[in-house]
Amino acid sequence: MRNRNIMTKSIAASLSLILLGIGFSMAQSAENSSDTTSALTTFYVSATGSDENSGLSTTDAFATVTRARNAIRESRTGDTSKRCVVVISEGEYPQPETLVLGDEDSNTEYVGEGAGAVLSGGIRFQFQRLASAAEKELFPANDAEIWVYDLPKVDDAPLFFEQLFVNGRRAVRSRFPNDGFLIPESIWEEFPMNPQTRSVDHAVTPQELRARTGDLDDLKLEEASTEVLSFAQFIVHHNWDTTRRIIRSYDKETRALRCEGVPMKSWNPWRDSSLYYLENLPMAFDQPGEWFYDGVNERVFYRPLEGEQLNQTSFIAPVSGLNCLLDINGSKVGVDEAKKTTSIRFRNVQFSYTDAASGNTQVKPGVSGHGPTQFEPLQAAAFTTGTVRISNASDIIFERCRVKSTGEYAFVIMDCSDCQIIRTDMEDLGAGGVRIGDGSMDRHNQVVNCNIVHGGRFFASGTAVWIGQNTEDTLILHNEIADFFYTGVSAGWVWGYNGGHAFRNCIEYNHIHHIGQGALADMGGVYTLGRSTGTRVCNNVIHDVDSYGYGGWGLYPDEGSEGILFENNLVYDVTDGSFHQHYGKENILRNNILARSKKNPAKPDQPAHQIAVSRIEDHLSVTIERNIIYWKDGVALGYNANNAKVVYDSNLWYNATSDATFGGLSHEEWVKTTGKDVNGIVADPLFVDPDANDFRLKSGSPAQKIGFVPFDYTQAGVQPE
C-alpha cells in the first residue's frame, strides 16, 4: 500500500508540473510574441496620444485601446491570421464602455509597459469644499471635518454610485453598526413562496424585518423622510446568501424596516437568527473614512482619515452600469456550433473600477429616475458578471495582469477551452475571483499562480473560484485565496444525484485561508456538488474557515458529490469538521492531515467534530484511509460519521488533551464493535510544533505504521518563478 501511495503521489506531482509547464511555456510563447520585430503590425497606445494619430510609433500613439482595436481590424481586412501587437504605455486609460473583442480580433496581444497600463471604468473627481455648519446638522459627531461633492448631472439625473474608492481604498458607505451585524427579532412577508412547489403567486411582495428592542434607537429612523430612506438599504445575510433591500419606511412602534421584493426562497429565507446591517443613512455617517450619498440634496459627503487633504485626495466612482470592461466573445454560428475567438493575450494590464448593477435581479426605487439597487439572493452571487468576460473562445491568456476594485467578479469564463489566467492578482472584488462553466462545455481552462484576495465586498456570497456544470479538466493550481466571506473554491453546481457533468477538475496546491469570517454559513475551503468523476482536491493547505450558524468546514463534499479524491491536504483551525460530507457517493479521503477542528459557536452544547458525515445512504459514501486526525477539543466523529456506510482503514487519531472517543467508545472498543478502522491506531503523530502550525513529522513518527506518506505542504500557494 505504501509503494502504491508513493507512486500515486509521484504521478500527481508530475501531472501538476506538466500542466504548470504547459502554462508557462504558453506564457513564454506569449512573451516572445510581444517582440514587435516578428509581428506583422504593432500599434502603440499612450495616455498622451491621440486617436487621430497613426498609432504606429510611440511618438504617434493612439490615446485609447478601443482605437487600437479598430486599427487592427482596418489593417487586416478580415484576415485574422496576421498577428498584431498593441503596446500600451504605463498610465490610466478611461474605458467608459465595454471593450468588445470578437472573432475578428483573434491572434492579437495587448502588452502593458512599465508598472502597467490601467483600463479604468471609473470617474475621477475631487471633493470641492468643506461642509457648512448647516449641512453638518444632518449628521452625528458633526464637529468633525466633513467634505462635500456637489453631484453633476448625467442624462438629466445626478451622478449616482454605490461604491467609492479613495486613494485606491474602497471606502465604507455610512454603515450601522460600524462593525459586525445586528440580529432581527422577527421576519414577515405577505406572499411567501410555496415550499412544496417552490413557486410564488406574486412577483413582488411586501416584507418586514423587525429589529430587536433598542437596536435601532440611536438612528432615530422615525425622523427620516421617505425620500431619505429610499436612498438607504439594509442587507440580510441568511445562511449562504445575501439579500439587499431598499428601505421603504420604518415603523417605530413595531420597529419594522419595510421593503418589497421577490418572495423569499423557502429553502433559505431570512430568519430571526439571520444577520443584517444598514447602509447610507445620514444618522450612521459617524466614522473617519466613511462616505454618504445624499440623494435628496444631490451631494456626497466624506469624513477624511487623519492626514488626508482636501485637494490632494483621489476619488473614483465607477461609471453607472458599467460592470464589464472587457468582453471577449466569439460569434454564434448556427445552433450547435460557435466560431470561437482564439489566441488573444493580455500581459501586464490592469482592469479596475467597475459597477455592481447586474441584470434583471435589481430594481430601482424611482427617486428622480435614479437611486440605489437591490438584489435577490443566489448562491455564489451567480447572477453577476465579470470585469473581464470570456465566452465562445479558446487560447485566451491573461499573464501578470491585475483586476482590482470591482463591483462583481474579476473573470467570468463560459463555453471556452484552453484559456489561462497566470500570475494575475485579483483583489478588492465586489463578488468573487474567477467563475468558469455553466455553459454548454468548458474544457482545459487554468487558473495558475494567482493571488485572489479580499472578495465579497458588495456581494458577500461571491466565491473566490467557482467551477460550474459542463466543465472538464479545469486546473486550479498554486493560488493564494484569502479574505472572502463564503467558499474558497466551489466545484460542481448540481444538487443531488441528478447527473451533472464536472469531470476531472483539479484543485491542487492552493493556500486557502480566512474564509467565511463569521458572516455566512454552509461553506467550505473547498466545496463540491454533484457527480464529479475524476476530480482531484489534493495538496492544498486550508485553515481559518469560520462560519456563522453552521458550516465552516475545510473539505466539504455537499449534496450528491461523487467520485472525488481528497488527498495530501493539510486542514486546520476550521469549524465543525476538517472534512464534512453532507451526502455523496464513493469519494476518497486519503493521506491528509486534519487538525484542530473547532466547536461550532452556534451549537455550544455539541462537541467539536473532526470528521463528519450527515446522511446515511444505501451505497458507500466515502472511504477514509491513512489520514492523521489531530485535535484538542471534542470527539473524532460527528453527526452520522459512525453510522453511515463509510470505510475507515489505517488512520492515526490523537486527542492532545484527552482520550480519543468514537461514538462514546475508545478506539479499541469502536473497532471491536463496528469492525471499522481495523488497522488504525491512536498515537501522538509527533508533529514538529503543532501549536505553531508546524505539522512536519519528527523522526520515528507512528504515522509510518499506517502507511502515511509525508507531503511537502509548503508547496501550496503562489510559487516563485
Side-chain angles (χ1 to χ4, degrees):
M1 295 293 289
R2 178 176 172 84
N3 290 337
R4 180 187 300 173
N5 204 290
I6 292 172
M7 183 178 294
T8 301
K9 179 185 177 186
S10 176
I11 292 170
S14 298
L15 174 63
S16 295
L17 289 171
I18 289 168
L19 290 169
L20 184 59
I22 291 170
F24 279 117
S25 67
M26 294 182 74
Q28 186 64 46
S29 174
E31 183 173 338
N32 292 340
S33 73
S34 67
D35 179 359
T36 57
T37 61
S38 64
L40 174 68
T41 307
T42 300
F43 291 100
Y44 296 87
V45 178
S46 169
T48 59
S50 168
D51 282 352
E52 301 300 317
N53 292 339
S54 69
L56 294 174
S57 69
T58 55
T59 57
D60 203 32
F62 294 135
T64 67
V65 177
T66 301
R67 179 67 186 95
R69 177 206 63 184
N70 294 343
I72 290 173
R73 292 177 177 178
E74 294 162 5
S75 72
R76 284 173 162 174
T77 62
D79 181 6
T80 58
S81 66
K82 298 178 180 179
R83 186 163 52 86
C84 293
V85 174
V86 176
V87 178
I88 312 168
S89 295
E90 181 178 339
E92 184 174 293
Y93 298 86
Q95 191 69 44
E97 59 185 19
T98 304
L99 174 65
V100 179
L101 301 180
D103 46 84
E104 68 270 39
D105 303 301
S106 295
N107 204 16
T108 57
E109 182 174 4
Y110 296 80
V111 183
E113 291 187 316
V118 181
L119 298 189
S120 171
I123 302 169
R124 285 189 178 271
F125 56 89
Q126 294 292 129
F127 275 63
Q128 302 140 330
R129 58 185 176 85
L130 300 177
S132 67
E135 288 172 323
K136 288 183 178 183
E137 289 301 318
L138 289 168
F139 312 121
N142 53 28
D143 56 340
E145 182 175 311
I146 297 175
W147 302 349
V148 183
Y149 176 63
D150 296 302
L151 291 163
K153 298 283 188 180
V154 178
D155 296 330
D156 299 323
L159 175 68
F160 182 76
F161 48 89
E162 293 182 290
Q163 300 171 93
L164 180 64
F165 301 92
V166 183
N167 289 340
R169 165 185 59 87
R170 183 185 294 265
V172 175
R173 190 166 56 158
S174 60
R175 187 188 195 278
F176 186 86
N178 287 312
D179 297 299
F181 301 90
L182 302 169
I183 299 174
E185 180 178 277
S186 62
I187 301 297
W188 172 88
E189 64 179 344
E190 188 168 344
F191 305 113
M193 173 181 284
N194 185 317
Q196 279 73 45
T197 64
R198 293 193 170 190
S199 63
V200 293
D201 296 328
H202 297 78
V204 175
T205 181
Q207 297 168 325
E208 289 184 0
L209 183 152
R210 300 185 181 103
R212 294 184 177 184
T213 301
D215 275 2
L216 302 181
D217 287 357
D218 290 346
L219 292 177
K220 296 183 170 53
L221 290 172
E222 66 277 4
E223 298 177 8
S225 68
T226 301
E227 259 197 319
V228 167
L229 292 178
S230 71
F231 282 93
Q233 300 148 310
F234 65 91
I235 298 88
V236 185
H237 288 209
H238 45 114
N239 287 345
W240 58 86
D241 265 334
T242 59
T243 302
R244 183 179 293 265
R245 285 285 182 263
I246 298 161
I247 302 174
R248 300 296 181 174
S249 64
Y250 176 72
D251 186 303
K252 181 180 179 182
E253 184 176 343
T254 61
R255 305 181 304 284
L257 292 164
R258 291 175 173 165
C259 62
E260 60 181 35
V262 174
M264 302 173 203
K265 294 176 180 177
S266 57
W267 57 92
N268 188 17
W270 312 351
R271 296 175 172 86
D272 59 11
S273 59
S274 297
L275 302 174
Y276 76 99
Y277 63 97
L278 296 87
E279 279 192 344
N280 205 51
L281 286 161
M283 305 81 85
F285 182 55
D286 61 355
Q287 293 290 307
E290 283 190 336
W291 65 284
F292 167 66
Y293 185 95
D294 182 357
V296 176
N297 298 298
E298 301 180 2
R299 295 170 296 193
V300 178
F301 295 90
Y302 176 71
R303 289 182 182 266
L305 295 171
E306 184 177 354
E308 290 180 334
Q309 301 296 319
L310 179 61
N311 297 320
Q312 300 175 14
T313 303
S314 168
F315 293 88
I316 299 178
V319 172
S320 180
L322 182 63
N323 50 5
C324 176
L325 290 180
L326 174 63
D327 185 1
I328 301 175
N329 189 351
S331 58
K332 293 285 186 180
V333 181
V335 176
D336 297 320
E337 64 174 320
K339 186 176 181 182
K340 289 186 180 293
T341 299
T342 63
S343 300
I344 294 178
R345 272 80 166 146
F346 277 83
R347 185 156 56 88
N348 202 31
V349 178
Q350 177 172 322
F351 304 86
S352 289
Y353 307 117
T354 52
D355 199 11
S358 193
N360 59 10
T361 60
Q362 306 195 350
V363 299
K364 303 278 185 178
V367 179
S368 304
H370 72 295
T373 56
Q374 64 178 37
F375 57 77
E376 308 302 330
L378 184 61
Q379 189 167 355
F383 55 82
T384 59
T385 189
T387 296
V388 176
R389 186 169 56 217
I390 311 168
S391 55
N392 307 316
S394 65
D395 189 26
I396 310 297
I397 296 178
F398 287 80
E399 182 192 5
R400 299 186 183 280
C401 290
R402 191 181 194 194
V403 183
K404 182 179 184 293
S405 304
T406 72
E408 302 183 347
Y409 273 79
F411 291 89
V412 169
I413 299 171
M414 183 182 292
D415 290 321
C416 292
S417 61
D418 301 292
C419 295
Q420 300 180 37
I421 304 171
I422 304 169
R423 292 198 176 279
T424 289
D425 292 339
M426 295 163 248
E427 60 182 299
D428 187 21
L429 308 170
V434 182
R435 204 167 75 226
I436 302 172
D438 235 24
S440 57
M441 182 56 68
D442 286 82
R443 292 187 174 96
H444 302 288
N445 299 302
Q446 301 183 13
V447 181
V448 178
N449 260 325
C450 296
N451 289 293
I452 309 172
V453 297
H454 315 313
R457 268 37 193 180
F458 198 85
F459 302 95
S461 59
T463 300
V465 177
W466 183 94
I467 307 168
Q469 274 301 295
N470 299 322
T471 54
E472 292 182 351
D473 303 293
T474 310
L475 180 63
I476 311 300
L477 177 69
H478 280 303
N479 301 289
E480 183 86 8
I481 294 171
D483 189 12
F484 281 78
F485 303 113
Y486 186 51
T487 286
V489 180
S490 176
W493 212 247
V494 61
W495 283 259
Y497 301 111
N498 298 318
H501 191 114
F503 295 167
R504 300 181 306 278
N505 296 311
C506 294
I507 303 162
E508 302 202 38
Y509 290 98
N510 301 287
H511 184 196
I512 304 169
H513 58 101
H514 294 93
I515 302 297
Q517 304 181 86
L520 289 169
D522 200 356
M523 73 193 65
V526 175
Y527 172 80
T528 64
L529 282 164
R531 187 173 62 179
S532 301
T533 307
T535 290
R536 298 168 50 85
V537 180
C538 302
N539 293 288
N540 302 287
V541 174
I542 301 170
H543 60 92
D544 292 284
V545 183
D546 292 286
S547 66
Y548 169 77
Y550 71 100
W553 299 298
L555 301 169
Y556 179 18
D558 197 10
E559 300 190 22
S561 293
E562 179 180 348
I564 304 171
L565 172 64
F566 300 87
E567 186 174 53
N568 293 358
N569 299 287
L570 168 61
V571 182
Y572 64 93
D573 290 347
V574 301
T575 305
D576 200 32
S578 294
F579 176 87
H580 175 268
Q581 180 165 304
H582 180 187
Y583 67 89
K585 184 177 181 180
E586 298 176 0
N587 298 308
I588 298 173
L589 180 71
R590 176 196 296 150
N591 212 83
N592 302 278
I593 298 174
L594 310 174
R596 289 198 310 252
S597 175
K598 302 174 291 187
K599 179 183 292 190
N600 184 344
K603 299 178 180 179
D605 297 332
Q606 289 190 7
H609 306 131
Q610 308 310 308
I611 289 177
V613 177
S614 293
R615 184 175 294 186
I616 300 174
E617 301 180 271
D618 292 335
H619 54 252
L620 173 62
S621 293
V622 58
T623 297
I624 299 175
E625 60 185 7
R626 299 199 301 276
N627 301 283
I628 299 174
I629 303 99
Y630 171 95
W631 71 100
K632 289 188 172 184
D633 181 28
V635 296
L637 308 176
Y639 306 110
N640 285 304
N642 192 33
N643 301 317
K645 288 193 175 180
V646 177
V647 171
Y648 294 91
D649 190 29
S650 301
N651 296 288
L652 187 158
W653 312 80
Y654 186 64
N655 185 337
T657 59
S658 185
D659 294 333
T661 58
F662 304 78
L665 304 174
S666 69
H667 187 267
E668 182 179 359
E669 293 168 333
W670 179 54
V671 171
K672 184 176 181 180
T673 302
T674 66
K676 298 178 185 293
D677 204 43
V678 172
N679 298 303
I681 59 175
V682 174
D684 185 344
L686 299 181
F687 293 129
V688 170
D689 190 352
D691 290 340
N693 302 325
D694 188 341
F695 295 99
R696 293 174 299 160
L697 296 173
K698 296 177 182 177
S699 177
S701 167
Q704 62 185 342
K705 296 179 181 179
I706 64 165
F708 181 85
V709 179
F711 54 93
D712 185 1
Y713 58 81
T714 65
Q715 296 301 304
V718 173
Q719 297 297 294
E721 291 293 352

